[in-house]
Amino acid sequence: LSSGINAEYGGIFVSYVEAGGIAARAGLRFGDQIVQINGESVAGWDKKKTINFLKKADPAHIKFAVRDRPFERTITCVKDSSGGVGFQFKRGKINAIVKDSSAARN
Protein backbone atom coordinates (compact mmCIF):
# COMPACT_ATOMS: atom_id res chain seq x y z
CA LEU A 1 0.00 0.00 0.00
CA SER A 2 3.07 2.26 0.48
CA SER A 3 1.48 4.23 3.30
CA GLY A 4 0.80 4.06 7.04
CA ILE A 5 -2.26 4.88 9.08
CA ASN A 6 -3.05 5.78 12.67
CA ALA A 7 -6.28 6.00 14.63
CA GLU A 8 -6.29 9.49 16.15
CA TYR A 9 -8.98 11.81 17.47
CA GLY A 10 -11.76 9.35 16.60
CA GLY A 11 -10.69 8.90 12.98
CA ILE A 12 -8.29 7.08 10.68
CA PHE A 13 -5.48 9.31 9.41
CA VAL A 14 -2.62 8.80 6.97
CA SER A 15 0.59 8.90 9.01
CA TYR A 16 3.11 8.00 6.31
CA VAL A 17 3.23 8.02 2.52
CA GLU A 18 6.18 6.47 0.73
CA ALA A 19 7.63 8.91 -1.81
CA GLY A 20 6.91 7.65 -5.32
CA GLY A 21 4.78 4.77 -4.03
CA ILE A 22 1.29 3.83 -5.20
CA ALA A 23 -0.39 5.84 -2.42
CA ALA A 24 1.65 8.97 -3.26
CA ARG A 25 0.93 8.61 -6.98
CA ALA A 26 -2.77 8.32 -6.16
CA GLY A 27 -2.58 11.62 -4.24
CA LEU A 28 -2.69 10.38 -0.62
CA ARG A 29 -0.82 12.74 1.72
CA PHE A 30 0.22 12.84 5.37
CA GLY A 31 -2.67 14.02 7.51
CA ASP A 32 -5.46 13.00 5.11
CA GLN A 33 -8.41 11.45 6.95
CA ILE A 34 -9.74 8.21 5.51
CA VAL A 35 -13.54 8.21 5.82
CA GLN A 36 -14.38 5.17 3.65
CA ILE A 37 -12.58 2.16 2.22
CA ASN A 38 -14.24 0.45 -0.74
CA GLY A 39 -17.51 2.18 0.13
CA GLU A 40 -17.43 1.05 3.78
CA SER A 41 -17.46 3.80 6.42
CA VAL A 42 -14.52 3.59 8.83
CA ALA A 43 -16.26 5.74 11.48
CA GLY A 44 -15.42 4.30 14.89
CA TRP A 45 -12.79 1.91 13.54
CA ASP A 46 -9.44 1.52 15.28
CA LYS A 47 -6.10 0.95 13.58
CA LYS A 48 -6.25 -2.85 13.98
CA LYS A 49 -9.70 -3.15 12.36
CA THR A 50 -8.62 -0.88 9.51
CA ILE A 51 -5.42 -2.86 8.85
CA ASN A 52 -7.33 -6.17 8.92
CA PHE A 53 -9.90 -4.80 6.46
CA LEU A 54 -7.12 -3.63 4.11
CA LYS A 55 -5.33 -7.00 4.32
CA LYS A 56 -8.52 -8.79 3.21
CA ALA A 57 -9.27 -6.32 0.40
CA ASP A 58 -8.42 -7.06 -3.24
CA PRO A 59 -4.98 -5.39 -3.61
CA ALA A 60 -5.76 -4.55 -7.23
CA HIS A 61 -8.74 -2.40 -6.22
CA ILE A 62 -8.76 -0.41 -2.99
CA LYS A 63 -10.80 2.78 -3.11
CA PHE A 64 -10.51 5.43 -0.40
CA ALA A 65 -12.81 8.33 0.34
CA VAL A 66 -10.55 10.92 1.93
CA ARG A 67 -11.05 14.23 3.69
CA ASP A 68 -8.12 16.41 2.73
CA ARG A 69 -5.68 17.04 5.60
CA PRO A 70 -7.89 18.02 8.52
CA PHE A 71 -5.16 16.85 10.87
CA GLU A 72 -2.53 19.39 11.82
CA ARG A 73 0.56 19.03 13.91
CA THR A 74 2.79 21.62 15.41
CA ILE A 75 6.53 21.16 15.56
CA THR A 76 9.18 23.29 17.21
CA CYS A 77 12.46 23.78 15.39
CA VAL A 78 15.46 25.27 17.14
CA LYS A 79 17.88 27.44 15.17
CA ASP A 80 21.35 25.98 14.80
CA SER A 81 24.60 27.90 15.29
CA SER A 82 24.40 29.32 11.75
CA GLY A 83 20.83 30.58 12.31
CA GLY A 84 19.10 27.91 10.20
CA VAL A 85 16.15 25.83 11.33
CA GLY A 86 17.00 22.76 9.26
CA PHE A 87 14.74 23.00 6.23
CA GLN A 88 14.43 24.81 2.91
CA PHE A 89 11.15 26.62 2.23
CA LYS A 90 10.36 27.63 -1.36
CA ARG A 91 7.09 28.60 -3.07
CA GLY A 92 5.06 27.92 0.07
CA LYS A 93 6.37 24.38 0.63
CA ILE A 94 9.16 22.70 2.55
CA ASN A 95 11.24 21.09 -0.18
CA ALA A 96 14.24 19.80 1.78
CA ILE A 97 15.17 18.87 5.35
CA VAL A 98 18.77 19.07 6.55
CA LYS A 99 20.12 15.76 7.90
CA ASP A 100 20.57 15.68 11.72
CA SER A 101 18.85 19.07 12.13
CA SER A 102 16.11 20.07 14.56
CA ALA A 103 13.60 19.71 11.71
CA ALA A 104 14.77 16.16 10.96
CA ARG A 105 14.34 15.14 14.59
CA ASN A 106 10.70 16.31 14.52
Side-chain angles (χ1 to χ4, degrees), residues 34-69:
I34 299 170
V35 294
Q36 289 183 352
I37 303 172
N38 292 344
E40 184 107 15
S41 172
V42 300
W45 288 17
D46 61 12
K47 181 177 178 175
K48 184 176 181 178
K49 183 172 182 172
T50 306
I51 296 292
N52 286 336
F53 186 86
L54 287 168
K55 284 181 179 179
K56 293 175 186 174
D58 176 0
H61 181 76
I62 298 175
K63 184 177 179 180
F64 292 105
V66 176
R67 183 162 33 133
D68 189 37
R69 293 183 170 223

mmCIF file of all heavy atoms in Angstrom, residues 34-69:
data_model
loop_
_atom_site.group_PDB
_atom_site.id
_atom_site.type_symbol
_atom_site.label_atom_id
_atom_site.label_comp_id
_atom_site.label_asym_id
_atom_site.label_seq_id
_atom_site.Cartn_x
_atom_site.Cartn_y
_atom_site.Cartn_z
ATOM 1 N N ILE A 34 -9.032 9.213 6.297
ATOM 2 C CA ILE A 34 -9.742 8.206 5.511
ATOM 3 C C ILE A 34 -11.133 8.066 6.118
ATOM 4 O O ILE A 34 -11.276 7.773 7.302
ATOM 5 C CB ILE A 34 -9.003 6.859 5.526
ATOM 6 C CG1 ILE A 34 -7.612 7.024 4.912
ATOM 7 C CG2 ILE A 34 -9.807 5.783 4.798
ATOM 8 C CD1 ILE A 34 -6.706 5.827 5.079
ATOM 9 N N VAL A 35 -12.173 8.299 5.319
ATOM 10 C CA VAL A 35 -13.544 8.214 5.823
ATOM 11 C C VAL A 35 -14.261 6.966 5.312
ATOM 12 O O VAL A 35 -15.218 6.504 5.954
ATOM 13 C CB VAL A 35 -14.358 9.490 5.513
ATOM 14 C CG1 VAL A 35 -13.789 10.679 6.270
ATOM 15 C CG2 VAL A 35 -14.398 9.790 4.036
ATOM 16 N N GLN A 36 -13.816 6.415 4.181
ATOM 17 C CA GLN A 36 -14.380 5.169 3.655
ATOM 18 C C GLN A 36 -13.288 4.372 2.950
ATOM 19 O O GLN A 36 -12.367 4.951 2.377
ATOM 20 C CB GLN A 36 -15.478 5.433 2.622
ATOM 21 C CG GLN A 36 -16.755 5.974 3.152
ATOM 22 C CD GLN A 36 -17.801 6.123 2.038
ATOM 23 O OE1 GLN A 36 -17.522 5.955 0.856
ATOM 24 N NE2 GLN A 36 -19.009 6.446 2.438
ATOM 25 N N ILE A 37 -13.430 3.048 3.009
ATOM 26 C CA ILE A 37 -12.577 2.158 2.222
ATOM 27 C C ILE A 37 -13.505 1.236 1.451
ATOM 28 O O ILE A 37 -14.333 0.543 2.047
ATOM 29 C CB ILE A 37 -11.621 1.330 3.099
ATOM 30 C CG1 ILE A 37 -10.746 2.233 3.968
ATOM 31 C CG2 ILE A 37 -10.749 0.424 2.224
ATOM 32 C CD1 ILE A 37 -9.917 1.499 4.995
ATOM 33 N N ASN A 38 -13.386 1.255 0.135
ATOM 34 C CA ASN A 38 -14.243 0.448 -0.738
ATOM 35 C C ASN A 38 -15.719 0.622 -0.411
ATOM 36 O O ASN A 38 -16.491 -0.337 -0.371
ATOM 37 C CB ASN A 38 -13.844 -1.029 -0.691
ATOM 38 C CG ASN A 38 -12.493 -1.271 -1.326
ATOM 39 O OD1 ASN A 38 -11.974 -0.436 -2.056
ATOM 40 N ND2 ASN A 38 -11.905 -2.413 -1.045
ATOM 41 N N GLY A 39 -16.110 1.862 -0.135
ATOM 42 C CA GLY A 39 -17.511 2.181 0.134
ATOM 43 C C GLY A 39 -17.970 1.917 1.555
ATOM 44 O O GLY A 39 -19.103 2.214 1.918
ATOM 45 N N GLU A 40 -17.104 1.381 2.386
ATOM 46 C CA GLU A 40 -17.432 1.053 3.779
ATOM 47 C C GLU A 40 -16.940 2.173 4.700
ATOM 48 O O GLU A 40 -15.757 2.518 4.693
ATOM 49 C CB GLU A 40 -16.755 -0.265 4.153
ATOM 50 C CG GLU A 40 -17.070 -0.772 5.520
ATOM 51 C CD GLU A 40 -17.994 -1.971 5.485
ATOM 52 O OE1 GLU A 40 -18.161 -2.581 4.415
ATOM 53 O OE2 GLU A 40 -18.528 -2.270 6.549
ATOM 54 N N SER A 41 -17.843 2.733 5.488
ATOM 55 C CA SER A 41 -17.462 3.797 6.421
ATOM 56 C C SER A 41 -16.516 3.247 7.480
ATOM 57 O O SER A 41 -16.738 2.156 8.013
ATOM 58 C CB SER A 41 -18.705 4.376 7.101
ATOM 59 O OG SER A 41 -18.319 5.272 8.127
ATOM 60 N N VAL A 42 -15.463 4.008 7.799
ATOM 61 C CA VAL A 42 -14.518 3.592 8.835
ATOM 62 C C VAL A 42 -14.768 4.337 10.155
ATOM 63 O O VAL A 42 -13.954 4.265 11.070
ATOM 64 C CB VAL A 42 -13.046 3.760 8.373
ATOM 65 C CG1 VAL A 42 -12.765 2.915 7.142
ATOM 66 C CG2 VAL A 42 -12.723 5.215 8.101
ATOM 67 N N ALA A 43 -15.908 5.018 10.257
ATOM 68 C CA ALA A 43 -16.258 5.744 11.481
ATOM 69 C C ALA A 43 -16.253 4.781 12.667
ATOM 70 O O ALA A 43 -16.884 3.726 12.621
ATOM 71 C CB ALA A 43 -17.619 6.406 11.349
ATOM 72 N N GLY A 44 -15.494 5.124 13.689
ATOM 73 C CA GLY A 44 -15.416 4.305 14.894
ATOM 74 C C GLY A 44 -14.406 3.169 14.824
ATOM 75 O O GLY A 44 -14.214 2.455 15.792
ATOM 76 N N TRP A 45 -13.777 2.981 13.671
ATOM 77 C CA TRP A 45 -12.792 1.911 13.544
ATOM 78 C C TRP A 45 -11.494 2.302 14.246
ATOM 79 O O TRP A 45 -11.127 3.467 14.313
ATOM 80 C CB TRP A 45 -12.469 1.633 12.085
ATOM 81 C CG TRP A 45 -13.555 0.950 11.309
ATOM 82 C CD1 TRP A 45 -14.878 0.836 11.641
ATOM 83 C CD2 TRP A 45 -13.418 0.314 10.042
ATOM 84 N NE1 TRP A 45 -15.555 0.171 10.658
ATOM 85 C CE2 TRP A 45 -14.683 -0.164 9.667
ATOM 86 C CE3 TRP A 45 -12.353 0.123 9.184
ATOM 87 C CZ2 TRP A 45 -14.904 -0.838 8.474
ATOM 88 C CZ3 TRP A 45 -12.567 -0.549 7.994
ATOM 89 C CH2 TRP A 45 -13.828 -1.037 7.646
ATOM 90 N N ASP A 46 -10.781 1.283 14.741
ATOM 91 C CA ASP A 46 -9.444 1.524 15.281
ATOM 92 C C ASP A 46 -8.421 1.079 14.228
ATOM 93 O O ASP A 46 -8.784 0.589 13.153
ATOM 94 C CB ASP A 46 -9.233 0.805 16.618
ATOM 95 C CG ASP A 46 -9.367 -0.717 16.531
ATOM 96 O OD1 ASP A 46 -9.407 -1.271 15.416
ATOM 97 O OD2 ASP A 46 -9.426 -1.344 17.592
ATOM 98 N N LYS A 47 -7.156 1.269 14.537
ATOM 99 C CA LYS A 47 -6.099 0.952 13.579
ATOM 100 C C LYS A 47 -6.113 -0.537 13.218
ATOM 101 O O LYS A 47 -6.001 -0.904 12.048
ATOM 102 C CB LYS A 47 -4.733 1.347 14.158
ATOM 103 C CG LYS A 47 -3.574 1.079 13.228
ATOM 104 C CD LYS A 47 -2.270 1.550 13.822
ATOM 105 C CE LYS A 47 -1.111 1.245 12.902
ATOM 106 N NZ LYS A 47 0.152 1.784 13.399
ATOM 107 N N LYS A 48 -6.283 -1.407 14.215
ATOM 108 C CA LYS A 48 -6.255 -2.853 13.978
ATOM 109 C C LYS A 48 -7.362 -3.279 13.020
ATOM 110 O O LYS A 48 -7.126 -4.041 12.083
ATOM 111 C CB LYS A 48 -6.378 -3.601 15.309
ATOM 112 C CG LYS A 48 -6.266 -5.092 15.184
ATOM 113 C CD LYS A 48 -6.307 -5.761 16.539
ATOM 114 C CE LYS A 48 -6.178 -7.258 16.388
ATOM 115 N NZ LYS A 48 -6.171 -7.941 17.683
ATOM 116 N N LYS A 49 -8.579 -2.791 13.238
ATOM 117 C CA LYS A 49 -9.699 -3.146 12.359
ATOM 118 C C LYS A 49 -9.455 -2.652 10.938
ATOM 119 O O LYS A 49 -9.733 -3.355 9.967
ATOM 120 C CB LYS A 49 -11.007 -2.573 12.903
ATOM 121 C CG LYS A 49 -12.214 -2.978 12.067
ATOM 122 C CD LYS A 49 -13.519 -2.579 12.714
ATOM 123 C CE LYS A 49 -14.683 -3.054 11.840
ATOM 124 N NZ LYS A 49 -15.967 -2.875 12.488
ATOM 125 N N THR A 50 -8.898 -1.454 10.824
ATOM 126 C CA THR A 50 -8.619 -0.880 9.508
ATOM 127 C C THR A 50 -7.567 -1.706 8.773
ATOM 128 O O THR A 50 -7.739 -2.037 7.594
ATOM 129 C CB THR A 50 -8.156 0.583 9.641
ATOM 130 O OG1 THR A 50 -9.144 1.303 10.393
ATOM 131 C CG2 THR A 50 -7.963 1.230 8.292
ATOM 132 N N ILE A 51 -6.491 -2.053 9.457
ATOM 133 C CA ILE A 51 -5.423 -2.861 8.845
ATOM 134 C C ILE A 51 -5.963 -4.225 8.419
ATOM 135 O O ILE A 51 -5.683 -4.697 7.318
ATOM 136 C CB ILE A 51 -4.231 -3.025 9.812
ATOM 137 C CG1 ILE A 51 -3.574 -1.677 10.107
ATOM 138 C CG2 ILE A 51 -3.214 -4.034 9.270
ATOM 139 C CD1 ILE A 51 -2.869 -1.033 8.943
ATOM 140 N N ASN A 52 -6.759 -4.863 9.274
ATOM 141 C CA ASN A 52 -7.333 -6.173 8.922
ATOM 142 C C ASN A 52 -8.235 -6.072 7.699
ATOM 143 O O ASN A 52 -8.211 -6.938 6.829
ATOM 144 C CB ASN A 52 -8.101 -6.762 10.105
ATOM 145 C CG ASN A 52 -7.176 -7.273 11.189
ATOM 146 O OD1 ASN A 52 -6.020 -7.595 10.930
ATOM 147 N ND2 ASN A 52 -7.666 -7.334 12.407
ATOM 148 N N PHE A 53 -9.030 -5.009 7.617
ATOM 149 C CA PHE A 53 -9.902 -4.799 6.458
ATOM 150 C C PHE A 53 -9.065 -4.637 5.188
ATOM 151 O O PHE A 53 -9.374 -5.221 4.146
ATOM 152 C CB PHE A 53 -10.788 -3.569 6.681
ATOM 153 C CG PHE A 53 -11.823 -3.362 5.615
ATOM 154 C CD1 PHE A 53 -13.053 -3.991 5.693
ATOM 155 C CD2 PHE A 53 -11.567 -2.529 4.534
ATOM 156 C CE1 PHE A 53 -14.013 -3.811 4.694
ATOM 157 C CE2 PHE A 53 -12.523 -2.338 3.539
ATOM 158 C CZ PHE A 53 -13.747 -2.981 3.623
ATOM 159 N N LEU A 54 -7.987 -3.847 5.274
ATOM 160 C CA LEU A 54 -7.118 -3.625 4.110
ATOM 161 C C LEU A 54 -6.413 -4.911 3.674
ATOM 162 O O LEU A 54 -6.254 -5.164 2.485
ATOM 163 C CB LEU A 54 -6.100 -2.532 4.407
ATOM 164 C CG LEU A 54 -6.659 -1.117 4.445
ATOM 165 C CD1 LEU A 54 -5.634 -0.150 5.026
ATOM 166 C CD2 LEU A 54 -7.105 -0.671 3.063
ATOM 167 N N LYS A 55 -6.002 -5.743 4.649
ATOM 168 C CA LYS A 55 -5.332 -7.004 4.316
ATOM 169 C C LYS A 55 -6.258 -7.946 3.559
ATOM 170 O O LYS A 55 -5.812 -8.702 2.706
ATOM 171 C CB LYS A 55 -4.826 -7.683 5.592
ATOM 172 C CG LYS A 55 -3.586 -7.043 6.166
ATOM 173 C CD LYS A 55 -3.134 -7.777 7.408
ATOM 174 C CE LYS A 55 -1.880 -7.164 7.985
ATOM 175 N NZ LYS A 55 -1.431 -7.854 9.209
ATOM 176 N N LYS A 56 -7.553 -7.906 3.867
ATOM 177 C CA LYS A 56 -8.524 -8.785 3.215
ATOM 178 C C LYS A 56 -9.021 -8.233 1.874
ATOM 179 O O LYS A 56 -9.605 -8.960 1.085
ATOM 180 C CB LYS A 56 -9.724 -9.018 4.147
ATOM 181 C CG LYS A 56 -9.367 -9.813 5.378
ATOM 182 C CD LYS A 56 -10.558 -9.918 6.316
ATOM 183 C CE LYS A 56 -10.158 -10.581 7.618
ATOM 184 N NZ LYS A 56 -11.247 -10.564 8.603
ATOM 185 N N ALA A 57 -8.786 -6.959 1.626
ATOM 186 C CA ALA A 57 -9.271 -6.320 0.399
ATOM 187 C C ALA A 57 -8.459 -6.783 -0.812
ATOM 188 O O ALA A 57 -7.296 -7.147 -0.694
ATOM 189 C CB ALA A 57 -9.181 -4.803 0.528
ATOM 190 N N ASP A 58 -9.089 -6.742 -1.979
ATOM 191 C CA ASP A 58 -8.418 -7.055 -3.236
ATOM 192 C C ASP A 58 -7.332 -6.000 -3.465
ATOM 193 O O ASP A 58 -7.642 -4.819 -3.633
ATOM 194 C CB ASP A 58 -9.442 -7.023 -4.369
ATOM 195 C CG ASP A 58 -8.832 -7.249 -5.745
ATOM 196 O OD1 ASP A 58 -7.605 -7.438 -5.853
ATOM 197 O OD2 ASP A 58 -9.608 -7.239 -6.725
ATOM 198 N N PRO A 59 -6.055 -6.394 -3.471
ATOM 199 C CA PRO A 59 -4.981 -5.393 -3.614
ATOM 200 C C PRO A 59 -5.007 -4.659 -4.953
ATOM 201 O O PRO A 59 -4.422 -3.588 -5.076
ATOM 202 C CB PRO A 59 -3.695 -6.214 -3.454
ATOM 203 C CG PRO A 59 -4.086 -7.619 -3.731
ATOM 204 C CD PRO A 59 -5.543 -7.753 -3.372
ATOM 205 N N ALA A 60 -5.683 -5.206 -5.929
ATOM 206 C CA ALA A 60 -5.757 -4.554 -7.232
ATOM 207 C C ALA A 60 -6.820 -3.457 -7.266
ATOM 208 O O ALA A 60 -6.870 -2.676 -8.201
ATOM 209 C CB ALA A 60 -6.059 -5.585 -8.316
ATOM 210 N N HIS A 61 -7.677 -3.406 -6.212
ATOM 211 C CA HIS A 61 -8.741 -2.404 -6.218
ATOM 212 C C HIS A 61 -9.100 -1.997 -4.783
ATOM 213 O O HIS A 61 -9.937 -2.623 -4.136
ATOM 214 C CB HIS A 61 -9.987 -2.949 -6.921
ATOM 215 C CG HIS A 61 -11.095 -1.954 -6.983
ATOM 216 N ND1 HIS A 61 -11.100 -0.902 -7.862
ATOM 217 C CD2 HIS A 61 -12.215 -1.823 -6.245
ATOM 218 C CE1 HIS A 61 -12.181 -0.186 -7.677
ATOM 219 N NE2 HIS A 61 -12.885 -0.725 -6.701
ATOM 220 N N ILE A 62 -8.427 -0.988 -4.297
ATOM 221 C CA ILE A 62 -8.761 -0.408 -2.993
ATOM 222 C C ILE A 62 -9.105 1.048 -3.237
ATOM 223 O O ILE A 62 -8.304 1.807 -3.775
ATOM 224 C CB ILE A 62 -7.601 -0.524 -1.983
ATOM 225 C CG1 ILE A 62 -7.269 -1.991 -1.723
ATOM 226 C CG2 ILE A 62 -7.958 0.181 -0.683
ATOM 227 C CD1 ILE A 62 -6.066 -2.218 -0.836
ATOM 228 N N LYS A 63 -10.326 1.423 -2.869
ATOM 229 C CA LYS A 63 -10.801 2.782 -3.114
ATOM 230 C C LYS A 63 -11.021 3.485 -1.777
ATOM 231 O O LYS A 63 -11.732 2.982 -0.917
ATOM 232 C CB LYS A 63 -12.110 2.731 -3.903
ATOM 233 C CG LYS A 63 -12.645 4.079 -4.296
ATOM 234 C CD LYS A 63 -13.899 3.908 -5.141
ATOM 235 C CE LYS A 63 -14.462 5.254 -5.512
ATOM 236 N NZ LYS A 63 -15.680 5.094 -6.335
ATOM 237 N N PHE A 64 -10.377 4.637 -1.613
ATOM 238 C CA PHE A 64 -10.506 5.432 -0.400
ATOM 239 C C PHE A 64 -11.363 6.665 -0.658
ATOM 240 O O PHE A 64 -11.238 7.295 -1.710
ATOM 241 C CB PHE A 64 -9.138 5.939 0.075
ATOM 242 C CG PHE A 64 -8.207 4.875 0.575
ATOM 243 C CD1 PHE A 64 -7.141 4.454 -0.194
ATOM 244 C CD2 PHE A 64 -8.376 4.323 1.833
ATOM 245 C CE1 PHE A 64 -6.265 3.486 0.263
ATOM 246 C CE2 PHE A 64 -7.508 3.356 2.301
ATOM 247 C CZ PHE A 64 -6.450 2.932 1.511
ATOM 248 N N ALA A 65 -12.196 7.009 0.295
ATOM 249 C CA ALA A 65 -12.813 8.334 0.338
ATOM 250 C C ALA A 65 -12.039 9.073 1.417
ATOM 251 O O ALA A 65 -11.911 8.595 2.553
ATOM 252 C CB ALA A 65 -14.290 8.245 0.688
ATOM 253 N N VAL A 66 -11.488 10.222 1.051
ATOM 254 C CA VAL A 66 -10.549 10.921 1.928
ATOM 255 C C VAL A 66 -10.989 12.359 2.148
ATOM 256 O O VAL A 66 -11.418 13.039 1.215
ATOM 257 C CB VAL A 66 -9.136 10.905 1.286
ATOM 258 C CG1 VAL A 66 -8.146 11.690 2.115
ATOM 259 C CG2 VAL A 66 -8.656 9.478 1.090
ATOM 260 N N ARG A 67 -10.874 12.808 3.403
ATOM 261 C CA ARG A 67 -11.045 14.229 3.695
ATOM 262 C C ARG A 67 -9.646 14.809 3.732
ATOM 263 O O ARG A 67 -8.774 14.360 4.456
ATOM 264 C CB ARG A 67 -11.756 14.445 5.026
ATOM 265 C CG ARG A 67 -11.975 15.924 5.269
ATOM 266 C CD ARG A 67 -13.012 16.289 6.302
ATOM 267 N NE ARG A 67 -13.159 15.408 7.411
ATOM 268 C CZ ARG A 67 -13.215 15.798 8.677
ATOM 269 N NH1 ARG A 67 -13.114 17.058 8.988
ATOM 270 N NH2 ARG A 67 -13.385 14.936 9.635
ATOM 271 N N ASP A 68 -9.435 15.832 2.946
ATOM 272 C CA ASP A 68 -8.117 16.411 2.729
ATOM 273 C C ASP A 68 -7.554 17.080 3.974
ATOM 274 O O ASP A 68 -8.067 18.104 4.415
ATOM 275 C CB ASP A 68 -8.209 17.421 1.581
ATOM 276 C CG ASP A 68 -6.873 17.931 1.123
ATOM 277 O OD1 ASP A 68 -5.919 17.132 1.117
ATOM 278 O OD2 ASP A 68 -6.782 19.106 0.762
ATOM 279 N N ARG A 69 -6.533 16.484 4.539
ATOM 280 C CA ARG A 69 -5.685 17.039 5.601
ATOM 281 C C ARG A 69 -6.367 17.834 6.709
ATOM 282 O O ARG A 69 -5.980 18.968 6.984
ATOM 283 C CB ARG A 69 -4.621 17.934 4.978
ATOM 284 C CG ARG A 69 -3.645 17.188 4.158
ATOM 285 C CD ARG A 69 -2.592 18.133 3.640
ATOM 286 N NE ARG A 69 -1.540 17.347 3.042
ATOM 287 C CZ ARG A 69 -0.267 17.587 3.218
ATOM 288 N NH1 ARG A 69 0.133 18.571 3.941
ATOM 289 N NH2 ARG A 69 0.623 16.823 2.643
#
